[in-house]
Amino acid sequence: MVIKLYISSESANKTIKKKQQTILDRLTTRGVPFDVIDICSDVEAKKFMQEKCALKTGKTPLPPQVFSDEEYCGDFEKFEEYQEDNNLDVFFKLAPETITSKAEICVTTEEEEIEKSDKEKIVENGEVEKGNKIVVTNGVDAEAEKTDEEKEVNVEKAETPEKAKVVEEDHEKEDAEEPAEKIEETSEEAADTKEEPVPTESA
């Protein structure tokens, strides 16, 4: 494998001459074997360079152009790009190009995982439990639909099972006493509405 540098020895353009010399110096300091091909004296080499470069870049090439044997490496701008990355061996086809993939890794601590699992737990009946509040997955807040009495019982239940039992018994007693009070009130109203007997005059 030989590096081939296509140059123009008769170019009056100072920029082109400077670019050619920069690549020549770099190849020399790296100890890479290379051939310099002057397109001004070799018409076939000029034609080959133009055809190969046009296929890769789609534009008319200007020297300097770099090849590895007959494989196109690039122009001076490409050379500078690889030089800035300290990767000239890849540019000259002396080393394979490595493709690095970028992957994002999200690291969470054990405490964060526990906190996340405590905040949101999926229960079997399709509801989501957030803290001590049950939220129905269809968007309806079950807690908002409860009556004040049910909320009070639930709060008591959340504190201790024994206290919740006492609260439930109190509610049962209230429900049992309510019919008795209604019967008593009805009896009193009936007594008040009874008509007293009208005394009759004796003959």
Side-chain angles (χ1 to χ4, degrees), residues 45-61:
K46 180 179 181 180
K47 184 179 179 180
F48 170 82
M49 182 200 77
Q50 290 176 341
E51 288 177 354
K52 288 287 185 179
C53 294
L55 289 174
K56 291 289 185 178
T57 63
K59 57 184 179 181
T60 304

Side-chain angles (χ1 to χ4, degrees), residues 103-130:
E104 295 183 0
I105 301 175
C106 183
V107 180
T108 56
T109 62
E110 186 177 352
E111 293 181 357
E112 290 176 344
E113 289 292 338
I114 294 173
E115 184 179 353
K116 184 179 179 180
S117 62
D118 289 342
K119 285 183 178 179
E120 183 168 329
K121 295 178 181 178
I122 306 300
V123 292
E124 293 181 357
N125 60 358
E127 298 175 342
V128 178
E129 182 179 354
K130 294 183 179 180

Side-chain angles (χ1 to χ4, degrees), residues 78-92:
K78 200 74 172 178
F79 166 83
E80 278 192 323
E81 180 183 329
Y82 278 83
Q83 183 173 238
E84 289 175 1
D85 295 337
N86 196 23
N87 209 10
L88 282 177
D89 285 345
V90 175
F91 173 76
F92 290 126

Side-chain angles (χ1 to χ4, degrees), residues 5 24 149:
L5 177 61
L24 279 169
E149 186 176 317

